C-alpha cells in the first residue's frame, strides 16, 4: 500500500498537533502541568508580602463602562423579589468553623467600618476594568464570628446559577484577611448594580476576576475544600479545570 | 566517498541542550499563548481595557469575512484569522485557527495550564543558561558584538553579503557574524526577558508585590500588548532563523546543533580576487 505524498505530508504536519491534543486529554500529563500552578502559588506567596496591596488608582482612571461577565443576574423569583424591594431583606449567613455564626442584613453591613478602593479587575480572558468599590473588610466580619483555628479556607456561596448549580468560590486565609478583601455593596459610588453582583460581591484584588464571587448569600469557613462542590474549591475549577490559585 | 573537509567543534553542550529545550518550549508557549489570546482577541494601551474601550488591534469577523484590524486599517484574513474551518470542516469564529493553538479546540483553561507550566521551563533553564554563558564567557566571547563589528560599514558589509546569500567560509564560519550576533543578543537579552517581565506584569499578585512592573510597561494592558508584540518578534526571528539554516546548509547546521560538530565550508579559492575578502578579514581575529 502506498500513501500519496500530499496526504503523508499533511499527516506529518498534523502529528505534533495530534500529540499535543492527546497529551492535553491525558490525566497524568495534566497533573504534571498542574505542578506549575503549585509552583507559581508557592513562589508568589514567597515573593509577595501577604499584606502587599494591589495598586489603587485615581478617579480619572475609572473605566467608562465596567464590563460585567459570567452571570449578569441571579435567577429565580426570590432574587427578583429582592431586586424589587431594593434588597431590604437580603441577609448573608456566616457559618462553618466559626464560634458565633451570624446572619447580617445589608443595613447592618453598611453600619460597619467600610473601605473604599479604586482597583483594577482582571478577567482571566485578558481584559481589565477599573472601578471604585465600597464595602466591609471581610476580616472585620471574620473577627466578629470568631473563625476557629482549624479553618483554612473561606468559601463564598452565591445566588447566581449555571444551570442548576449555584456559583461558589473559595480563598485561603491570607487572601480572606487581606486588607483589600471587602464585601462590596457599592460600585462607583452607587449601589452595586445587578449585573455586577447586587447586593454584595467579594473583591479579591490580587487574583483574577472569577475569584471575586458575586450575589453572595453565605460565607463558610472550612478546613478543606473536599466537601465543596466537586472538591476543587470553585465552580470554574470544578467544571472547566481552571486553576484554584488565580494570582496569575 | 568520505568528505575530506574537516569536522570541527562548533557548539558547546550547554548551547545545544538549551537550544532544543527552548525550541520546544517557545513553540508550546506561542501556541498556548495564541489560544489564551483567543479568549479576548483585542489589545489595548494603558492600565485597563475591555470591550467598550478602543483596541489598537483586533482579530474578528463580520458576516462571512475574517479580518485583522490594526488601528483603522482592516486586513482581510478569511480562512486563516477570525473566521476559519476546523479539522472537521466546521466554521469557527475565533482569532487564531486550530492548527496554530494548543489545544486545537477552544479551551482557555487548558491553554493556561500549558502556558503557566512551560513558563517555568522557559524561565529556569533560561536564567541558568544566561548565567552559565556569563561564567564560561560564551556571552562575552561569542555573542556580544565588538566595537569594530558595530561600525555601520561593517554591518552594511554583512547585510550585503547576506543579501547575496554569501555566507562566511573557512575559519570565519566558526564565529557568528554581526547580524547573527545582533539577532541572538536581541532574542536572549531583549525579547525573552521582555516576554517574561510583561507576562509577570499581567499577574495581579505580582503587580501587588512588584508594582514597578506596572510603571515599567505603562499598565497591565500595555504589558499585554507588548507581550504580544514580543511574541510576534520572536516568531519573526524563528522564521528568519529557519530560512538561514536552510540556506546555509541544513544538514551541517542541524548536525552542529545536535552533535556539536560542524563541517567547515572551504575557503573560496578565488578569495584574493574578491575585494570584500580583505574587508571581511579586517574585523575578524
Amino acid at each position: 500500500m502506498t500513501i500519496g505524498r500530499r496526504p503523508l505530508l499533511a499527516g506529518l504536519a498534523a502529528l505534533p498537533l495530534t500529540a499535543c491534543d492527546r497529551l492535553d486529554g491525558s490525566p497524568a500529563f495534566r497533573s504534571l502541568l498542574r505542578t506549575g500552578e503549585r509552583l507559581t502559588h508557592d513562589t508568589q506567596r514567597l515573593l509577595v508580602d501577604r499584606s502587599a496591596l494591589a495598586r489603587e488608582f485615581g478617579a480619572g482612571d475609572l473605566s467608562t463602562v465596567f464590563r460585567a461577565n459570567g452571570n449578569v443576574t441571579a435567577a429565580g423569583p426570590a432574587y427578583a423579589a429582592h431586586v424589587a424591594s431594593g434588597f431590604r431583606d437580603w441577609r448573608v449567613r456566616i457559618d462553618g468553623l466559626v464560634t458565633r455564626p451570624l446572619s447580617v442584613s445589608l443595613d447592618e453591613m453598611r453600619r460597619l467600618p467600610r473601605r473604599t478602593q479604586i482597583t483594577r479587575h482582571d478577567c482571566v480572558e485578558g481584559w481589565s476594568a477599573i472601578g471604585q468599590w465600597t464595602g466591609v473588610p471581610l476580616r472585620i466580619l471574620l473577627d466578629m464570628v470568631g473563625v476557629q483555628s482549624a479553618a483554612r479556607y473561606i468559601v463564598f456561596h452565591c445566588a447566581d446559577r449555571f444551570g442548576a448549580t449555584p456559583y461558589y468560590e473559595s480563598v485561603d486565609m491570607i487572601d480572606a484577611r487581606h486588607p483589600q478583601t471587602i464585601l462590596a455593596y457599592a460600585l462607583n459610588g452607587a449601589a452595586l448594580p445587578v449585573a455586577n453582583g447586587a447586593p454584595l460581591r467579594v473583591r479579591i484584588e490580587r487574583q483574577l476576576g472569577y475569584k471575586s464571587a458575586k450575589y453572595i448569600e453565605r460565607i463558610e469557613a472550612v478546613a478543606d475544600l473536599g466537601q465543596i462542590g466537586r472538591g476543587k474549591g470553585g465552580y470554574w475549577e470544578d467544571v472547566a479545570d481552571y486553576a484554584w490559585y488565580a494570582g496569575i | 566517498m568520505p568528505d575530506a573537509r574537516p569536522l570541527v567543534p562548533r557548539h558547546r553542550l550547554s548551547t545545544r541542550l538549551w537550544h532544543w529545550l527552548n525550541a520546544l518550549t517557545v513553540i508550546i508557549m506561542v501556541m498556548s499563548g495564541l489560544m489564551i489570546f483567543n479568549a479576548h482577541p483585542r489589545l489595548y494601551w494603558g492600565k485597563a481595557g475591555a470591550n467598550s474601550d478602543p483596541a489598537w488591534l483586533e482579530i474578528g469577523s463580520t458576516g462571512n469575512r475574517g479580518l485583522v484590524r490594526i488601528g483603522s486599517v482592516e486586513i482581510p484574513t478569511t480562512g486563516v484569522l477570525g473566521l476559519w474551518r476546523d479539522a472537521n470542516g466546521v466554521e469557527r469564529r475565533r482569532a487564531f485557527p486550530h492548527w496554530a493553538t494548543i489545544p486545537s479546540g477552544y479551551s482557555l483553561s487548558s491553554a493556561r495550564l500549558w502556558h503557566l507550566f512551560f513558563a517555568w521551563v522557559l524561565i529556569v533553564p533560561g536564567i541558568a543558561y544566561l548565567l552559565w554563558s556569563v561564567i564560561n564567557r560564551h556571552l562575552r566571547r561569542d555573542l556580544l558584538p565588538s566595537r569594530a563589528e558595530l561600525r555601520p560599514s561593517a554591518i552594511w558589509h554583512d547585510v550585503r553579503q547576506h543579501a547575496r546569500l554569501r555566507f562566511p567560509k573557512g575559519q570565519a564560519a566558526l564565529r557568528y557574524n554581526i547580524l547573527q550576533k545582533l539577532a541572538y543578543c536581541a532574542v536572549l537579552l531583549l525579547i525573552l526577558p521582555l516576554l517574561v517581565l510583561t507576562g509577570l506584569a499581567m499577574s495581579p499578585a505580582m503587580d501587588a508585590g512588584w508594582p514597578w512592573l506596572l510603571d515599567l510597561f505603562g499598565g497591565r494592558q500595555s504589558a499585554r500588548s507588548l507581550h504580544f508584540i514580543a511574541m510576534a518578534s520572536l516568531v519573526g526571528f524563528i522564521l528568519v532563523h529557519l530560512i538561514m539554516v536552510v540556506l546555509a546548509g541544513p544538514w551541517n547546521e542541524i548536525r552542529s546543533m545536535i552533535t556539536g560538530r560542524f563541517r567547515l565550508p572551504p575557503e573560496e579559492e578565488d578569495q584574493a580576487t574578491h575585494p570584500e575578502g580583505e574587508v571581511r578579514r579586517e574585523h575578524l581575529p
Side-chain angles (χ1 to χ4, degrees):
Chain A
M1 193 183 88
T2 54
I3 304 170
R5 182 179 280 185
R6 282 191 63 182
L8 182 69
L9 285 178
L12 283 177
L15 198 64
L17 280 176
T18 315
C20 283
D21 282 344
R22 285 178 63 167
L23 284 173
D24 189 65
S26 145
F29 188 75
R30 287 183 83 84
S31 68
L32 169 72
L33 293 182
R34 221 168 275 119
T35 59
E37 183 195 344
R38 182 67 194 273
L39 192 56
T40 303
H41 169 267
D42 293 354
T43 308
Q44 292 199 338
R45 286 295 189 224
L46 199 70
L47 290 178
V48 181
D49 189 274
R50 58 169 58 199
S51 60
L53 297 183
R55 171 155 294 184
E56 297 194 11
F57 298 88
D61 297 318
L62 290 173
S63 294
T64 41
V65 177
F66 193 96
R67 181 177 164 182
N69 208 31
N71 285 323
V72 290
T73 187
Y79 183 78
H82 280 297
V83 174
S85 72
F87 299 101
R88 198 181 51 221
D89 302 319
W90 188 274
R91 300 189 78 84
V92 177
R93 199 149 43 90
I94 307 171
D95 58 11
L97 296 175
V98 300
T99 315
R100 300 170 293 275
L102 192 66
S103 169
V104 198
S105 74
L106 270 187
D107 268 346
E108 289 163 338
M109 287 266 185
R110 291 196 192 95
R111 284 196 293 271
L112 290 170
R114 73 185 64 166
R115 189 179 201 283
T116 294
Q117 59 204 32
I118 299 180
T119 52
R120 196 190 64 221
H121 177 95
D122 299 325
C123 180
V124 64
E125 293 169 359
W127 52 270
S128 309
I130 293 176
Q132 184 200 58
W133 306 95
T134 300
V136 189
L138 179 60
R139 62 176 170 186
I140 288 180
L141 290 162
L142 296 181
D143 288 341
M144 283 168 68
V145 296
V147 176
Q148 295 169 15
S149 57
R152 293 185 52 212
Y153 303 98
I154 296 296
V155 182
F156 305 100
H157 298 277
C158 307
D160 57 320
R161 285 173 162 70
F162 285 91
T165 313
Y167 197 75
Y168 51 100
E169 254 305 341
S170 59
V171 292
D172 63 10
M173 285 300 170
I174 294 176
D175 275 317
R177 295 190 156 276
H178 187 263
Q180 287 172 320
T181 297
I182 60 174
L183 292 177
Y185 45 72
L187 169 61
N188 295 339
L192 189 61
V194 166
N196 301 101
L200 208 62
R201 80 177 298 174
V202 70
R203 295 295 314 159
I204 308 292
E205 300 291 6
R206 302 187 305 178
Q207 295 202 43
L208 297 174
Y210 62 89
K211 302 300 285 189
S212 291
K214 311 195 275 190
Y215 314 102
I216 292 175
E217 50 186 11
R218 183 182 166 214
I219 296 169
E220 183 187 10
V222 298
D224 74 277
L225 299 171
Q227 307 305 309
I228 306 300
R230 294 187 219 157
K232 290 190 192 161
Y235 175 79
W236 290 116
E237 290 88 325
D238 279 335
V239 305
D241 211 11
Y242 278 90
W244 176 78
Y245 178 68
I248 191 161
Chain B
M1 198 177 80
D3 199 324
R5 294 172 300 169
L7 206 53
V8 295
R10 181 66 186 91
H11 297 295
R12 66 194 81 206
L13 183 64
S14 54
T15 298
R16 286 178 274 144
L17 282 176
W18 188 68
H19 173 273
W20 293 113
L21 176 67
N22 210 45
L24 179 73
T25 307
V26 161
I27 289 169
I28 290 174
M29 289 303 280
V30 169
M31 294 177 73
S32 56
L34 294 180
M35 174 55 81
I36 294 173
F37 177 88
N38 276 3
H40 188 74
R42 296 162 57 86
L43 294 174
Y44 313 89
W45 294 115
K47 301 165 184 168
N51 299 57
S52 49
D53 301 304
W56 69 267
L57 182 143
E58 181 176 16
I59 303 180
S61 62
T62 51
N64 56 1
R65 297 188 307 122
L67 55 92
V68 175
R69 185 180 58 74
I70 301 173
S72 55
V73 179
E74 283 189 1
I75 305 156
T77 54
T78 311
V80 184
L81 302 172
L83 191 152
W84 39 269
R85 289 187 184 280
D86 69 15
N88 302 318
V90 179
E91 183 185 281
R92 301 280 177 191
R93 288 173 188 268
R94 294 275 179 195
F96 288 99
H98 63 102
W99 49 263
T101 60
I102 294 177
S104 62
Y106 181 80
S107 173
L108 173 59
S109 62
S110 289
R112 279 172 52 80
L113 211 53
W114 284 78
H115 203 73
L116 299 175
F117 174 83
F118 280 93
W120 284 102
V121 186
L122 182 75
I123 291 169
V124 176
I127 291 175
Y129 178 70
L130 199 56
L131 287 178
W132 183 238
S133 296
V134 170
I135 293 166
N136 70 11
R137 299 178 54 78
H138 175 48
L139 188 69
R140 186 82 172 274
R141 212 165 39 193
D142 307 324
L143 288 173
L144 289 178
S146 69
R147 194 178 285 265
E149 287 175 308
L150 285 174
R151 284 202 323 260
S153 62
I155 295 178
W156 179 235
H157 167 79
D158 255 40
V159 170
R160 282 188 308 171
Q161 292 292 93
H162 274 76
R164 295 174 194 168
L165 303 182
R166 242 185 239 160
F167 302 119
K169 306 285 182 196
Q171 291 299 312
L174 287 178
R175 296 177 50 80
Y176 295 136
N177 59 64
I178 182 62
L179 295 184
Q180 280 179 297
K181 286 186 175 186
L182 289 174
Y184 299 154
C185 284
V187 168
L188 195 60
L189 305 176
L190 211 68
I191 296 180
L192 289 177
L194 184 66
L195 280 163
V196 171
L197 289 175
T198 50
L200 288 177
M202 284 187 271
S203 151
M206 290 314 298
D207 285 348
W210 294 354
W212 53 266
L213 285 169
L214 293 170
D215 301 320
L216 186 62
F217 299 120
R220 181 178 194 255
Q221 289 300 323
S222 289
R224 185 166 174 265
S225 288
L226 291 170
H227 196 70
F228 187 89
I229 291 169
M231 176 279 298
S233 318
L234 190 58
V235 170
F237 163 80
I238 292 171
L239 292 179
V240 173
H241 178 63
L242 292 178
I243 290 169
M244 296 312 286
V245 166
V246 169
L247 292 177
W251 300 121
N252 197 20
E253 296 289 329
I254 291 171
R255 174 180 49 215
S256 74
M257 196 45 93
I258 293 173
T259 68
R261 301 184 83 76
F262 185 69
R263 179 92 57 201
L264 216 53
E267 303 267 358
E268 280 169 29
E269 280 161 19
D270 58 346
Q271 194 181 29
T273 62
H274 272 250
E276 286 93 350
E278 291 310 304
V279 180
R280 166 154 282 287
R281 284 186 176 189
E282 224 171 83
H283 56 92
L284 283 170

